[in-house]
Amino acid sequence: MKANDAFLKSTYNRYLLPTILAVLGSTINVFIDSLFIGRSMGEDGLAAINLCMPISLILCTLGSLIGAGAAILSAHEIGRNETEESQAIFRQAILLAALCGACLCAFGYAVLTPLTAMLSSDSGLDTLIRSYLSIYFINCLPKLLLFIPFYYLVLDGKNKRCSVVMLLMAALIAVFDALFLLVLDMGIRGAALANVAATTAACALGFGFLHRRDSSFRLSGLRVRLSGITSLIVKNGSPVAMDNLCTALRVALLNIILLDAGGNEYLSAFAVATSIGEFLLCILNGVPETAGAIVGVYSGEQDNAGLRILVRRQFRTGLLIISAASVLILLFDQPLEAMFGVTGGTAALALTCLALSLPIAQINTNMTHYYNHTGRILIANTITVSRVFMLAVGAALALSSFGNLVWLFYPLAEAATLALWVCMAWITARRSEHASGLLLLDTRLETEGSTLDFSVSTGVRDICNASAAILAFCDENGLSHRQAMTLSLAVEEVLMITADKCFAGREDGSIDVRFFHLENSTGIRFRYGGRQFNTVEFARREDDGLGETLGIKMILRMAKQVIYRSTFGVNNVVILL
């Protein structure tokens, strides 16, 4: 029997749309602001909002550093069956986000005047920039805290709730933008106020969802452990944070390059392309984010079969969706330009080059997230810095004297990044004794025959075949006949009870089983969807005279530890012997 993608396919597909919507809600605010400001204030307003974007991206940098880093670390600990440590990381992340948000707010107001001068450059938009930032700095605290429910709701399998939070924020920004800009005519200050009000409301709802009874992550006191957990959070969150930081630097430098190359016309065209690019992050980041929590857990378990299935699923799905988006941009580049109130054709040309880069960008973002969640932090950071900042800015600078050819920096940067990470992965695999292929998987457990991974449908015949597979594996790994029979019987009973109680007797369900026999530990892991149900606890409580749970009770007497948890929204039972 082999692992198949039935379970992971259904799990991934179930979470894909909510995750895309959640990422959309977190990025569409730039698109919404640009639409309303472009309509109400024209090209100067668009240019000003684009010049202020690095500040928003810096907040996203710190928020994602803490939120993503903590969630990835928590996923690894869950994969190692360290549930309490996972909870401690969650609590530490909340404390860090609150402290950083408060400090950044105070610092922003302290340096408001020199910061305005630096961002304005020679654009003549000082007054607009200062007006926007004087309100927007209030957003520091809720913006950073919002990343905690954003990542932990996904880790807990509450992707729909996460999408509700982020879409609420986007909807409120649109409503408040319309009210403050079009009705009350508050100008660019109204756009900043709309962001603050919407983010605060979304943050409150997100923490409300986290503290519902069915949540796995609930606040139960804050304990400071700055020296230990914080450094690990920063390390694991650095690729996502580096993406936001490099985007901030990229926007700032490209504004200067494009302003010099084509004046405010190029600057407003770049604002339009940036807004569309931010909108499409719901696909570029949403596709790998859907699998992020699952990849983190599977990486902690060293489940290579599951990781391969997840990566294939991301590539198929992501390339299909982003290619469709690229075609739409190519077909409607001029209407998109007009929608932002911009004319002249420069923005349409920028959008065309952006569209050509998107399929390659999807491949690059998929692999960046994969390397991040599997602990290949150096490769993930190198890809991010090169793709988002160095290669893009370098290409734009080299092409800036060739007129409209400057927009080719979009596809050139992505193509160069693809070549870079392939070379890095190949060199790493050649130099390492254990890493193999572009995924850099440690295949020692597979080659030694120490693990058995397979998928079982909830039909009776498949369950009986699974029991026979366990028997054969036990014989190959030197377990006694009595141990093999006990384990085989227990697996069969767990699968039968799960099929009956969790899937209501349906034969189209799927259960992933992993059996491992290592030098220091032996155990079985069952992972399945359906309703929330602890099969082993049910068998432990059940007093049946027919012996239908005899095998499970026998294995429980052999067990060192039995763990049940709901991870990324599915059931997990681990029996350590």
Side-chain angles (χ1 to χ4, degrees):
M1 301 187 72
K2 295 182 179 180
N4 61 46
D5 68 348
F7 167 74
L8 284 174
K9 178 182 178 180
S10 63
T11 302
Y12 182 85
N13 289 346
R14 185 167 74 250
Y15 293 149
L16 179 61
L17 181 58
T19 306
I20 286 177
L21 291 176
V23 178
L24 175 63
S26 69
T27 59
I28 199 175
N29 58 313
V30 176
F31 180 82
I32 294 170
D33 279 343
S34 297
L35 279 178
F36 280 99
I37 290 173
R39 287 290 182 181
S40 64
M41 301 181 64
E43 290 188 356
D44 282 351
L46 270 178
I49 202 76
N50 205 51
L51 289 169
C52 291
M53 188 179 294
I55 304 301
S56 175
L57 291 171
I58 287 172
L59 294 183
C60 292
T61 296
L62 286 173
S64 58
L65 178 71
I66 297 168
I72 291 169
L73 195 57
S74 288
H76 289 169
E77 295 301 327
I78 289 171
R80 299 185 186 104
N81 302 312
E82 298 289 345
T83 305
E84 288 300 319
E85 190 67 13
S86 176
Q87 296 285 344
I89 294 165
F90 167 70
R91 294 191 293 268
Q92 182 76 1
I94 296 175
L95 180 62
L96 282 174
L99 289 174
C100 289
C103 292
L104 199 59
C105 179
F107 178 76
Y109 282 111
V111 299
L112 180 59
T113 299
L115 182 62
T116 299
M118 183 181 72
L119 291 175
S120 173
S121 186
D122 296 323
S123 64
L125 302 172
D126 311 56
T127 303
L128 288 175
I129 292 172
R130 184 181 181 88
S131 297
Y132 185 84
L133 293 180
S134 65
I135 299 292
Y136 189 79
F137 276 126
I138 302 172
N139 215 25
C140 292
L141 183 60
K143 185 81 168 181
L144 264 64
L145 283 170
L146 181 62
F147 282 89
I148 305 300
F150 177 81
Y151 284 103
Y152 273 91
L153 284 172
V154 172
L155 177 57
D156 200 27
K158 307 298 190 298
N159 300 57
K160 290 183 180 178
R161 293 179 188 174
C162 184
S163 66
V164 168
V165 170
M166 305 313 292
L167 289 176
L168 171 69
M169 182 174 70
L172 288 177
I173 286 176
V175 170
F176 289 140
D177 269 341
L179 175 63
F180 297 148
L181 289 171
L182 303 182
V183 178
L184 300 179
D185 195 23
M186 293 176 63
I188 203 166
R189 291 171 64 89
L193 185 59
N195 272 274
V196 173
T199 304
T200 303
C203 184
L205 180 62
F207 276 97
F209 279 149
L210 273 178
H211 286 80
R212 293 182 66 168
R213 288 188 177 183
D214 61 346
S215 175
S216 301
F217 298 96
R218 305 179 70 187
L219 188 60
S220 57
L222 294 173
R223 290 189 290 267
V224 180
R225 291 174 56 184
L226 294 176
S227 61
I229 293 179
T230 301
S231 61
L232 293 174
I233 288 175
V234 170
K235 177 183 177 182
N236 283 276
S238 60
V240 181
M242 193 64 70
D243 192 330
N244 288 310
L245 178 61
C246 287
T247 302
L249 294 173
R250 161 182 161 142
V251 170
L253 289 179
L254 286 177
N255 279 332
I256 296 172
I257 294 171
L258 294 171
L259 183 65
D260 182 62
N264 282 350
E265 180 185 354
Y266 274 31
L267 206 58
S268 59
F270 182 50
V272 172
T274 300
S275 299
I276 298 295
E278 286 288 307
F279 178 84
L280 291 173
L281 286 178
C282 66
I283 302 170
L284 292 172
N285 288 342
V287 168
E289 281 290 350
T290 303
I294 310 175
V295 169
V297 173
Y298 275 49
S299 177
E301 296 173 345
Q302 292 185 288
D303 188 343
N304 292 346
L307 289 172
R308 293 188 186 100
I309 290 170
L310 279 168
V311 171
R312 287 196 298 269
R313 176 61 44 189
Q314 289 178 69
F315 273 95
R316 289 195 203 107
T317 306
L319 287 174
L320 178 63
I321 299 174
I322 204 66
S323 296
S326 299
V327 171
L328 288 175
I329 293 174
L330 291 171
L331 291 174
F332 300 103
D333 54 348
Q334 292 183 350
L336 284 171
E337 180 186 55
M339 187 173 67
F340 284 89
V342 177
T343 58
T346 304
L349 181 60
L351 288 174
T352 298
C353 292
L354 172 67
L356 294 175
S357 73
L358 290 175
I360 314 173
Q362 187 68 70
I363 297 172
N364 291 334
T365 53
N366 282 1
M367 293 307 297
T368 303
H369 280 74
Y370 168 80
Y371 287 131
N372 187 186
H373 284 86
T374 55
R376 300 284 178 179
I377 307 299
L378 178 61
I379 298 179
N381 277 328
T382 303
I383 296 172
T384 299
V385 173
S386 301
R387 168 182 172 258
V388 179
F389 178 61
M390 293 181 64
L391 294 174
V393 172
L397 187 61
L399 295 169
S400 60
S401 59
F402 294 95
N404 283 327
L405 288 179
V406 69
W407 303 110
L408 287 174
F409 80 83
Y410 281 115
L412 289 177
E414 297 294 351
T417 300
L418 176 62
L420 174 66
W421 71 255
V422 168
C423 290
M424 289 188 68
W426 181 78
I427 292 171
T428 302
R430 288 291 300 270
R431 290 179 175 178
S432 173
E433 295 181 10
H434 310 305
S436 64
L438 293 179
L439 299 185
L440 301 177
L441 296 173
D442 186 345
T443 58
R444 282 177 294 176
L445 295 181
E446 294 172 309
T447 55
E448 293 169 2
S450 301
T451 62
L452 176 65
D453 296 281
F454 57 91
S455 303
V456 187
S457 74
T458 48
V460 175
R461 178 179 296 179
D462 214 8
I463 290 174
C464 292
N465 291 337
S467 177
I470 290 290
L471 268 177
F473 180 82
C474 291
D475 290 340
E476 292 172 4
N477 283 271
L479 275 72
S480 69
H481 182 70
R482 180 177 176 276
Q483 289 175 315
M485 289 299 296
T486 301
L487 290 168
S488 176
L489 178 60
V491 167
E492 183 175 328
E493 290 176 354
V494 167
L495 295 175
M496 291 294 290
I497 293 172
T498 301
D500 180 45
K501 302 295 183 181
C502 196
F503 292 94
R506 299 194 332 261
E507 296 194 358
D508 59 345
S510 182
I511 305 169
D512 279 6
V513 182
R514 166 171 253 224
F515 191 96
F516 53 92
H517 180 59
L518 310 175
E519 184 178 350
N520 298 320
S521 63
T522 299
I524 313 171
R525 184 216 67 203
F526 303 90
R527 182 170 284 143
Y528 48 95
R531 70 182 184 89
Q532 191 167 328
F533 180 75
N534 185 346
T535 304
V536 174
E537 185 59 31
F538 170 82
R540 180 183 277 151
R541 294 195 314 264
E542 194 74 1
D543 184 18
D544 62 297
L546 299 177
E548 293 178 349
T549 60
L550 176 63
I552 299 177
K553 290 177 179 176
M554 289 174 63
I555 201 173
L556 288 177
R557 287 195 288 269
M558 300 166 54
K560 179 174 63 176
Q561 187 179 13
V562 178
I563 302 167
Y564 170 82
R565 62 177 180 266
S566 177
T567 308
F568 49 84
V570 299
N571 300 283
N572 295 264
V573 175
V574 181
I575 303 173
L576 300 175
L577 305 177

